[in-house]
Amino acid sequence: MKFPLPLLSLLACLLASCSSQKEWYKGNLHTHSYWSDGDNFPEMIMDWYKTQGYDFAVLSDHNTLHTGEKWKLIPKSPMHEQAFENYLKKYGENWVESRTDSVGRLHVRLKTLEEYRSLFEEKEEFLIIPSEEISAKFEKKPLHMNVTNVQNYIEPAEGNSVSEVLQRNIDLVKEQREETGHPMFLHINHPNFIWAITPEDMMALEGERFFEVYNGHPEVNNYGDELRPSMEALWDKVQVSYLQSGKPLLYGLAVDDAHNYHVFGGKESNPGRGWVEVLAKSLSPKDLIEAMEAGDFYASTGVVLKEKKFDGKSLKVTVNPEPGVTYTIRFFGTKKSNPNAAGVLLLETQGTDGSYTLQDDDLYVRAKVVSSKSKENPYRPGDMEEAWIQPVVRK
């Protein structure tokens, strides 16, 4: 059947519109399993994230990929033994491989990513992205970095300073990305963990685009102390340096850094504390990474946005409200005329809509939404549900 040219043009436009439609995808980019220092099996963890409504997740175990043969010695404790029984009951003897050694200890073979991913992945429903937490160090400082969509194991690089170690690992990820043709990115984990990474360490870096503005592990010092900056203060300070040096914007992630899946509480590192919402063309590593590198995402501990729009001049935020919950939208930024005052409050509005028009003197602007709803199983007692909107610059 032949169609007239005007109709063909209309069909082409409709198809183009459909193909450019973007969706919000919820995901966690930092989590651990029995492959390193987590306390549960990969399948049980992925099942938790999928059933909790996540669209994508990673298992970013320390200096390892989920490949090859690995047997886990199950600790002699009621909690871990019950966890094994739950695993066996859920997946069955035909799936679970176990053996007992000469002294009666139980060992279980951990399934590889290629083995277990088919249990969970569904097109446009759930995606597992390969990841590695590169766990390096300088002197006694832990320098941890996650690589999202890593294709081959990366041995942690060493160096003669904190910034040199970080930079060498950034360069290794860039090198693998170029060699494989697969999109991937490194993000810096929990800078205040054992006070390892300072703003000055990050300012020296080239090619660093992402860091954890919020990490759900109870020992990472998200809020700083009387001597050291919070993650938000660090973000603003480094942002100023990056933009003054002609570097790209630095984006902030919220992550779980979960290790503990059996006991929930303030002293445990549990799942469900922080995540990202990414506005992407599809649920694929390529489109998710492309969107994140463009800043088309926000970090959250519970607040959900209906819309985030930036037209080159005005940043608009619209919350998808919950009944009975109120919201405060704050816009932070730094003035070009006073760069030493990084991250000052520029505007605060009450309600579900907020907008800020950047002035000529604004170096950048970012937004934060704070709700009146208490965070369930919070990082710190008294925390409310929040969201961090990525910074923008006037075009």
Side-chain angles (χ1 to χ4, degrees):
M1 179 183 294
K2 293 185 178 180
F3 294 97
L5 286 177
L7 181 56
L8 286 174
S9 298
L10 177 60
L11 288 171
C13 289
L14 289 172
L15 288 171
S17 176
C18 291
S19 64
S20 63
Q21 185 70 31
K22 295 183 178 182
E23 301 288 342
W24 287 106
Y25 297 103
K26 177 180 180 178
N28 178 42
L29 294 174
H30 188 172
T31 303
H32 298 274
S33 75
Y34 268 151
W35 276 88
S36 61
D37 57 350
D39 67 4
N40 212 343
F41 299 94
E43 302 96 305
M44 301 297 281
I45 298 168
M46 285 297 117
D47 180 71
W48 189 93
Y49 279 105
K50 186 173 183 178
T51 57
Q52 293 297 313
Y54 286 71
D55 300 299
F56 65 94
V58 309
L59 284 173
S60 51
D61 283 299
H62 296 280
N63 295 337
T64 188
L65 300 180
H66 292 196
T67 60
E69 185 171 321
K70 181 179 177 65
W71 289 79
K72 172 64 181 179
L73 171 62
I74 305 303
K76 280 280 188 182
S77 77
M79 181 183 75
H80 291 91
E81 290 169 349
Q82 183 60 54
F84 171 72
E85 291 300 323
N86 294 341
Y87 176 55
L88 182 61
K89 181 179 180 180
K90 187 172 183 65
Y91 293 101
E93 294 181 355
N94 290 334
W95 176 265
V96 177
E97 298 176 58
S98 63
R99 65 192 183 195
T100 303
D101 63 22
S102 59
V103 294
R105 299 180 301 179
L106 177 65
H107 300 253
V108 180
R109 188 178 78 81
L110 300 180
K111 300 296 185 179
T112 66
L113 173 58
E114 290 311 308
E115 288 177 297
Y116 66 75
R117 73 187 315 164
S118 63
L119 298 178
F120 306 101
E121 289 194 328
E122 297 180 71
K123 185 176 178 61
E124 287 301 302
E125 293 294 331
F126 191 76
L127 173 72
I128 301 173
I129 304 176
S131 182
E132 175 191 351
E133 182 167 10
I134 299 176
S135 301
K137 62 181 179 179
F138 174 69
E139 296 176 342
K140 294 183 178 181
K141 296 179 177 181
L143 307 178
H144 294 181
M145 301 147 277
N146 269 28
V147 187
T148 297
N149 204 35
V150 65
Q151 299 298 303
N152 304 302
Y153 171 69
I154 296 177
E155 181 73 25
E158 300 179 348
N160 296 313
S161 68
V162 169
S163 58
E164 186 173 306
V165 172
L166 296 174
Q167 187 65 58
R168 287 183 174 179
N169 285 285
I170 291 169
D171 293 343
L172 287 175
V173 174
K174 180 182 178 183
E175 180 181 320
Q176 185 177 126
R177 177 170 178 161
E178 292 174 349
E179 288 179 350
T180 65
H182 287 273
M184 61 187 72
F185 68 84
L186 175 147
H187 81 255
I188 290 179
N189 298 346
H190 44 58
N192 277 355
F193 178 50
I194 315 184
W195 310 109
I197 302 172
T198 67
E200 289 71 27
D201 294 326
M202 291 179 61
M203 289 176 189
L205 303 177
E206 298 286 343
E208 165 55 15
R209 300 289 312 282
F210 302 93
F211 89 112
E212 294 174 355
V213 67
Y214 173 94
N215 178 301
H217 195 293
E219 299 177 3
V220 299
N221 301 301
N222 283 327
Y223 303 131
D225 65 9
E226 63 275 7
L227 298 176
R228 288 156 291 210
S230 68
M231 288 301 91
E232 288 192 58
L234 176 146
W235 193 6
D236 288 309
K237 192 171 183 179
V238 175
Q239 196 76 264
V240 170
S241 175
Y242 276 16
L243 292 175
Q244 288 181 327
S245 302
K247 298 177 183 179
L249 287 162
L250 177 66
Y251 297 133
L253 312 177
V255 302
D256 282 340
D257 195 2
H259 292 71
N260 310 121
Y261 304 91
H262 311 302
V263 177
F264 280 65
K267 294 182 179 180
E268 310 297 328
S269 181
N270 298 137
R273 286 189 173 140
W275 56 87
V276 292
E277 295 271 0
V278 185
L279 186 62
K281 291 183 289 187
S282 76
L283 185 60
S284 69
K286 176 181 179 298
D287 287 337
L288 291 170
I289 291 173
E290 180 181 287
M292 293 188 69
E293 290 182 331
D296 289 336
F297 73 101
Y298 63 93
S300 180
T301 62
V303 170
V304 176
L305 299 187
K306 183 181 296 183
E307 183 182 48
K308 182 212 69 141
K309 181 183 288 187
F310 179 60
D311 62 6
K313 294 183 179 179
S314 297
L315 176 61
K316 181 180 180 181
V317 176
T318 304
V319 178
N320 189 9
E322 289 189 49
V325 179
T326 60
Y327 300 88
T328 301
I329 303 173
R330 299 182 177 121
F331 294 89
F332 297 91
T334 301
K335 298 294 184 180
K336 298 174 185 177
S337 58
N338 189 15
N340 292 327
V344 298
L345 179 62
L346 302 172
L347 176 68
E348 177 175 304
T349 62
Q350 305 294 322
T352 59
D353 294 276
S355 179
Y356 180 85
T357 300
L358 277 74
Q359 308 301 307
D360 290 339
D361 196 32
D362 289 327
L363 185 61
Y364 69 91
V365 170
R366 63 176 177 86
K368 181 179 181 180
V369 182
V370 180
S371 80
S372 63
K373 182 180 178 181
S374 296
K375 170 65 177 173
E376 183 180 356
N377 188 21
Y379 162 80
R380 186 179 69 178
D383 281 354
M384 314 305 282
E385 291 187 348
E386 300 176 324
W388 295 263
I389 292 82
Q390 305 309 319
V392 295
V393 295
R394 184 168 179 172
K395 297 177 182 179

